Amino acid sequence: MRLDFFTLFPQWFEWFESQRHVHNAVAAGSELRYLDLRATTPLSAGQVDDSPYGGGAGMVMRVDVIDAALQAAYGDARGGRRIVLLTPSGRMFDDGLATELAAEPELSLICGRYEGVDERVRDHLVTDAVSIGRYVLAGGELAAMVVADAVLRKLPGSLGHADSALEESYSSALDGDPEYPHYTRPPTYRGWEIPEVLVSGDHARVRDWRRARSRERGGPREDRA
Ligand SMILES: C[S@@+](CC[C@H](N)C(=O)[O-])C[C@H]1O[C@@H](n2cnc3c(N)ncnc32)[C@H](O)[C@@H]1O
């Protein structure tokens, strides 16, 4: 996957790229780029924002600044590239969307700042608007890292054990339910025991127990009898 981050703070991503599964994804062929919006702004003195029409607090990131950054990176040849604007009012990010994005060969993530981004970016320049939750962060960088983390760990070679990403919370392997509980040594700690079934050696019982705990955690659902 070719993954581009458009940001005012490329240095934020140094820590991100040093994380093992991200490093592994790069070693396995993924390419990550961090594109500084100030480097391509058509305005003088590195300006990227302006005051909002209609008044109000804060500054808004300009559409011509985002357009110039996309032009510099791709020209007019955007093909089928998914270009995602991070915004609290976007489509809620979940495992289904992570799986969808992980299948893309090329993905761009645009990080907003200040009061947000001129709405014409959403209307004309991106393919998706995505939110990581119903709360407001100071900027899109952490949101982009959340999306990229969830996407990259689904790529082959990213995780030490490829199977780790298959049967996880909200995956289709668990029918969209949260994952079951895990335990490791010691078997007894301060009187707290592990479930006996996990050391029974009976794989079918273990599987059934895990599935039941996972469903319990998922709670009642309309699509369940
Ligand atoms: C301070 S926020 C702007 C919030 C905006 N005024 C609002 O009320 O929706 C600045 C930037 O952070 C990013 N951001 C903040 N919260 C986010 C969230 N929950 N999901 C995705 N991006 C978020 C977006 O890129 C946004 O443009």
Side-chain angles (χ1 to χ4, degrees):
M1 168 179 280
R2 297 189 61 182
L3 180 50
D4 289 345
F5 300 84
F6 291 84
T7 172
L8 291 173
F9 300 99
Q11 69 277 15
W12 276 46
F13 293 88
E14 287 169 16
W15 170 85
F16 179 70
E17 187 149 345
S18 72
Q19 299 311 299
R20 181 175 291 262
H21 65 291
V22 179
H23 184 84
N24 288 347
V26 171
S30 291
E31 186 186 340
L32 275 57
R33 295 195 299 172
Y34 310 99
L35 301 153
D36 187 343
L37 293 166
R38 286 192 207 281
T40 49
T41 179
L43 309 172
S44 58
Q47 184 187 349
V48 293
D49 57 348
D50 229 316
S51 45
Y53 283 120
M59 301 292 272
V60 176
M61 290 178 70
R62 289 175 51 134
V63 61
D64 49 354
V65 169
I66 305 292
D67 197 23
L70 292 170
Q71 278 292 337
Y74 315 125
D76 289 321
R78 310 223 171 131
R81 172 177 278 272
R82 289 287 277 271
I83 304 180
V84 174
L85 174 68
L86 280 316
T87 168
S89 59
R91 170 181 170 187
M92 208 53 70
F93 188 61
D94 61 11
D95 188 70
L97 183 51
T99 302
E100 193 181 310
L101 296 178
E104 297 287 341
E106 302 190 325
L107 177 63
S108 308
L109 300 173
I110 300 179
C111 309
R113 277 271 153 181
Y114 317 123
E115 270 311 304
V117 177
D118 187 303
E119 191 65 15
R120 289 168 289 183
V121 169
R122 187 169 178 165
D123 291 343
H124 302 289
L125 294 179
V126 303
T127 59
D128 300 74
V130 170
S131 169
I132 63 158
R134 295 173 63 83
Y135 46 81
V136 177
L137 302 167
E141 285 72 18
L142 289 175
M145 286 187 225
V146 166
V147 170
D149 186 297
V151 167
L152 287 173
R153 70 193 300 283
K154 288 183 180 288
L155 300 184
S158 177
L159 299 182
H161 297 280
D163 288 353
S164 305
L166 294 180
E167 198 176 89
E168 285 197 306
S169 291
Y170 314 114
S171 63
S172 52
L174 293 180
D175 211 11
D177 286 320
E179 201 183 47
Y180 42 81
H182 295 290
Y183 298 87
T184 187
R185 293 186 184 87
T188 304
Y189 181 71
R190 294 175 61 186
W192 305 328
E193 307 283 346
I194 64 163
E196 173 278 329
V197 62
L198 296 180
V199 285
S200 67
D202 184 334
H203 298 302
R205 269 184 73 211
V206 170
R207 194 173 54 246
D208 290 348
W209 181 88
R210 285 178 165 166
R211 192 67 199 93
R213 298 295 79 71
S214 179
R215 279 170 185 261
E216 262 169 30
R217 286 183 162 177
R221 285 189 352 202
E222 280 174 17
D223 60 337
R224 231 179 339 241

